[in-house]
Amino acid sequence: MVHFRRYALAIGNVAMAEDLYVTKEEMEQVKALKSKGASSSAVDMEDARKQWLEHHIKAGEFDKALQMCVEDADYTRVHEAEEAKRIEWFNWACDNNDVAKASQWAVTEEEFARVEKVKVAAKVAKGDYTGAKKIAKTAEDEAEVEANEEAARLEWLEYYKGAGQYSKALTYAVDANEEAAIAAHQEARNETARLEWLGHFTKVGQYDKARNLVVSAAEAKAVDEAEEAGRKEWLNHAIATADWSSAQRYCVGDEEEKMVTEAKASYEEKQRKETFDMALSTGKYTTAEKYAVGHEEVRLLTRRNPLADSLRPEPFRRCTGIA
């Protein structure tokens, strides 16, 4: 009855609303309808009934939809919609292994049989294969449980093997072939790691650590060659940067020692000459005199600074040939 009062007000049926209103609020709504000259058409009321019927069916409000039914076709439509919704919810519960909901929505024998399969599937989903086998009703269901159990075993075995957790992987092995495959995977993984670390230590110059990882004469030779190449590279770098203490540390043999000695002498002579030329060109004759070597540089200095010649002692002028 409440619904009819609401419908009468909604469609503006004054006559029906006057017969059905109960509360003061509804009475005020009826008065408002009268003031607007609302229609009391039965056609309008029927249209409204059908609209509300459709609304309740779409919303799944089947009890309310039944209150809007007038003809047999209306009741049939509501029951068919309700049954379709029940089947939809039942299938959803089965697909999601929701035993409680599936049991709630099951009606037919076939549906209750499916619920039994859902019970098994729910235990399988939780990894309870023993429990699933206990409640399996048919040999087919039991075989399906065993297939799922085997698939899960293999999946975990591969997971732990791939993660390098070989002791856990072995707990899932069931025969010598699987154990051998795990051992082979571990050996290959260890070898890959060994080669990676061997390459890393060789590259960064940690040759002692690299030698701890070699397993063949070829690898040992490669480390030795890398170390020798690195030593020469550092030797050349030390010479290029005039780091003579490091150069002495890296040189090996008389030939390299001679090379370092000559490079140092050449560098120092170059530095002296550059300092002499700079002092001479900037008029710093005291400094130039300090770095001057040989008659030619002394004559050059004297020509640039004649005043200094009168201050030199006679023996100096005679030894340099300066008159």
Side-chain angles (χ1 to χ4, degrees), residues 255-272:
E255 185 177 344
E256 288 184 349
E257 288 183 3
K258 180 182 178 182
M259 179 179 69
V260 171
T261 301
E262 291 176 350
K264 181 179 180 182
S266 176
Y267 175 81
E268 290 176 347
E269 172 60 16
K270 180 182 177 183
Q271 292 294 102
R272 183 201 66 76

Side-chain angles (χ1 to χ4, degrees), residues 69-301:
C69 293
V70 174
E71 301 174 353
D72 289 343
D74 294 336
Y75 287 102
T76 299
R77 188 159 184 280
V78 172
H79 289 316
E80 288 178 348
E82 185 174 15
E83 176 63 6
K85 182 60 68 174
R86 182 194 69 79
I87 293 173
E88 179 183 343
W89 279 107
F90 173 75
N91 288 331
W92 178 90
C94 291
D95 292 341
N96 289 275
N97 296 327
D98 189 333
V99 177
K101 292 292 185 182
S103 299
Q104 176 185 341
W105 292 105
V107 173
T108 66
E109 289 184 4
E110 291 80 4
E111 289 174 345
F112 280 113
R114 187 178 175 188
V115 171
E116 293 303 314
K117 291 182 178 293
V118 171
K119 292 178 181 178
V120 175
K123 288 188 177 294
V124 168
K126 294 178 180 179
D128 182 8
Y129 301 105
T130 301
K133 291 176 185 176
K134 287 181 179 179
I135 64 173
K137 299 294 185 182
T138 65
E140 180 183 356
D141 290 343
E142 188 170 352
E144 185 174 352
V145 172
E146 291 176 349
N148 278 281
E149 184 177 17
E150 175 64 5
R153 181 189 70 81
L154 292 173
E155 184 176 352
W156 280 111
L157 185 152
E158 291 300 321
Y159 169 79
Y160 285 123
K161 185 171 70 174
Q165 300 183 42
Y166 298 105
S167 58
K168 288 187 177 181
L170 284 170
T171 64
Y172 287 93
V174 295
D175 58 38
N177 290 334
E178 288 183 345
E179 291 176 354
I182 292 171
H185 190 279
Q186 183 175 12
E187 183 178 351
R189 187 187 184 97
N190 291 342
E191 176 63 6
T192 298
R194 183 189 71 81
L195 291 174
E196 288 177 352
W197 280 109
L198 174 61
H200 169 74
F201 288 134
T202 301
K203 183 178 180 180
V204 299
Q206 298 184 33
Y207 302 109
D208 289 339
K209 290 184 177 180
R211 288 190 178 89
N212 289 334
L213 295 173
V214 300
V215 295
S216 67
E219 288 180 348
K221 180 181 178 182
V223 173
D224 290 341
E225 290 175 348
E227 184 176 20
E228 177 63 9
R231 183 192 66 78
K232 289 183 177 180
E233 183 178 352
W234 279 110
L235 172 62
N236 292 331
H237 174 75
I239 292 173
T241 57
D243 184 355
W244 307 113
S245 61
S246 295
Q248 288 293 338
R249 186 168 68 252
Y250 285 113
C251 72
V252 173
D254 295 340
E255 185 177 344
E256 288 184 349
E257 288 183 3
K258 180 182 178 182
M259 179 179 69
V260 171
T261 301
E262 291 176 350
K264 181 179 180 182
S266 176
Y267 175 81
E268 290 176 347
E269 172 60 16
K270 180 182 177 183
Q271 292 294 102
R272 183 201 66 76
K273 187 67 169 63
E274 289 177 354
T275 304
F276 171 77
D277 291 342
M278 178 62 69
L280 193 63
S281 65
T282 56
K284 297 180 180 179
Y285 301 115
T286 302
T287 301
E289 184 177 344
K290 177 181 178 182
Y291 285 94
V293 173
H295 297 301
E296 185 62 31
E297 290 183 356
V298 171
R299 289 193 186 94
L300 183 60
L301 173 61

